[in-house]
Amino acid sequence: MTRKEFLQQAAIGSIGMAASAGSGDPPAVYPVPPLARKRDSRRSLDFVQNEKILRHLQKHGVRNVVYGGNAFLYHITMAEYAELVDWASGFTREMSIIPGVGPSYGRAMDQAPLIRKHRFPSVLVLPCADPRDATGLETGLREIAEACGVPLSVYIKHEADFGPDREAGLDAVARLVDAKVCESIKYAVVRKDPHDDAYLSSLLRRVPAARVISGIGERPAVVHLRDFKLAGFTTGSGVLAPRLSRELFEACARRDYAAAEEIRRAFLPFEDLRDAWGAAPVLHAGVEASGLAETGPISPFVSSLPAAQFEQLRPVARALLEKNG
């Protein structure tokens, strides 16, 4: 693919997201659902249950979906990944679905031909914990974007994700944004106090806030949208309560931050358990405990919640689903 062809395809991806915004959907709320599996010997992907989750989101006015860490795509096999993107492509006319790729360079390049077969607006690049530096990552991400034929959403989960030189890493991210290789940034560096985030401030000196999405759910969402002017937020708990997530974003958009804080409080009991026991395993279990869908087992290297924790989670998950209405 030539650079001209890549930029034309990137423009198509951007238009696809704008079209979603134009349909009345909030373009800045991005649920990140779990990936339901059957209780068979292979833990097969259960697309009947996965569709239940998508239809729940759609019913409550949210049509932007990211399959990433909550779906444990770090550990998915290539055969399962092919099944997932083939299935997800069937919803791309009615929803904006962003699959994750990676986290390694080789895995992302192997996944790229599968992405090119379909019309996804972009792909989320899962953060890599292996040896890396800013220059090497920039080179690899440019090649991944070209191989996929769509722009990237870059996931920043830790300050060292782009190598030990933090400022060089942010410079690399900025160049990717300027070159339209990176369409958006999922910013998910956890802070004890989200108001105090020099690294995020440094990022925003390099890239427009409109390109950055808060990536840690509802807990810091109001601060990120109000104080840092980020474009929106991803959500795990919003898989259970998409209407509430949408209303939280809408309250921030109209600068009614008191209303936004009131809505945010509804998520905190579930978010507290996610912080205590593991964000992705609790969401996976919580969707089933709530009665929304049967998510089944989790693939190795992660284990399902113990029975006692599942029972403690059940009323919290059900309460959040019921508050959604």
Side-chain angles (χ1 to χ4, degrees):
M1 176 183 286
T2 67
R3 176 163 177 75
K4 180 179 179 181
E5 289 170 336
F6 170 73
L7 290 175
Q8 288 173 339
Q9 182 65 37
I12 291 171
S14 298
I15 291 168
M17 298 196 79
S20 174
S23 68
D25 304 327
V29 177
Y30 296 90
V32 187
L35 192 57
R37 292 177 177 271
K38 298 177 182 178
R39 288 183 169 85
D40 59 20
S41 61
R42 297 189 301 112
R43 306 182 196 89
S44 307
L45 298 182
D46 191 335
F47 292 117
V48 171
Q49 300 301 317
N50 286 310
E51 183 170 351
K52 284 184 182 181
I53 297 170
L54 290 190
R55 295 305 182 193
H56 175 67
L57 299 174
Q58 190 178 42
K59 175 183 176 181
H60 293 283
V62 177
R63 292 179 171 83
N64 305 299
V65 179
V66 180
Y67 281 102
N70 288 338
F72 298 106
L73 291 198
Y74 297 91
H75 305 307
I76 198 168
T77 69
M78 283 297 295
E80 290 172 337
Y81 190 80
E83 288 184 81
L84 174 61
V85 296
D86 282 347
W87 169 79
S89 70
F91 296 89
T92 53
R93 290 187 178 274
E94 50 190 315
M95 307 185 81
S96 178
I97 297 181
I98 301 173
V101 297
S104 71
Y105 170 81
R107 172 50 66 96
M109 293 297 282
D110 286 345
Q111 291 167 332
L114 301 174
I115 294 296
R116 289 180 70 94
K117 289 171 56 180
H118 305 293
R119 193 176 178 85
F120 298 111
S122 63
V123 291
L124 174 72
V125 182
L126 298 167
C128 177
D130 294 321
R132 66 210 178 279
D133 57 54
T135 301
L137 275 169
E138 183 180 353
T139 299
L141 290 174
R142 288 176 183 272
E143 292 179 6
I144 290 167
E146 186 169 347
C148 289
V150 294
L152 309 179
S153 178
V154 171
Y155 191 160
I156 300 178
K157 194 171 184 178
H158 305 99
E159 289 190 10
D161 279 347
F162 270 72
D165 187 331
R166 271 65 162 172
E167 297 303 304
L170 293 179
D171 288 341
V173 172
R175 287 191 294 270
L176 293 171
V177 171
D178 290 343
K180 297 183 172 58
V181 171
C182 173
E183 179 180 73
S184 63
I185 298 159
K186 182 180 186 291
Y187 183 81
V189 181
V190 176
R191 306 292 184 195
K192 185 175 181 180
D193 179 2
H195 298 87
D196 183 13
D197 196 333
Y199 186 68
L200 176 55
S201 296
S202 187
L203 172 65
L204 295 176
R205 287 194 290 271
R206 292 169 168 84
V207 304
R211 293 291 182 188
V212 184
I213 304 296
S214 176
I216 329 171
E218 284 74 15
R219 192 180 295 279
V222 176
V223 170
H224 279 168
L225 270 62
R226 181 189 62 211
D227 298 352
F228 293 94
K229 312 303 180 188
L230 301 192
F233 60 95
T234 64
T235 174
S237 297
V239 173
L240 290 174
R243 179 183 63 81
L244 294 181
S245 290
R246 176 173 55 80
E247 290 178 355
L248 189 155
F249 171 74
E250 291 169 351
C252 288
R254 65 176 183 267
R255 300 183 181 180
D256 187 351
Y257 298 115
E261 288 287 2
E262 181 64 27
I263 296 167
R264 188 183 77 94
R265 280 194 283 273
F267 291 94
L268 295 184
F270 191 73
E271 285 292 294
D272 286 345
L273 293 181
R274 295 186 74 204
D275 290 345
W277 299 339
V282 168
L283 178 62
H284 190 97
V287 168
E288 181 156 324
S290 73
L292 173 58
E294 295 179 13
T295 48
I298 294 173
S299 62
F301 290 159
V302 184
S303 57
S304 300
L305 292 188
Q309 289 183 348
F310 186 89
E311 290 307 314
Q312 186 177 339
L313 174 66
R314 189 192 301 276
V316 179
R318 284 182 173 174
L320 182 57
L321 183 64
E322 289 169 3
K323 285 180 182 177
N324 186 73

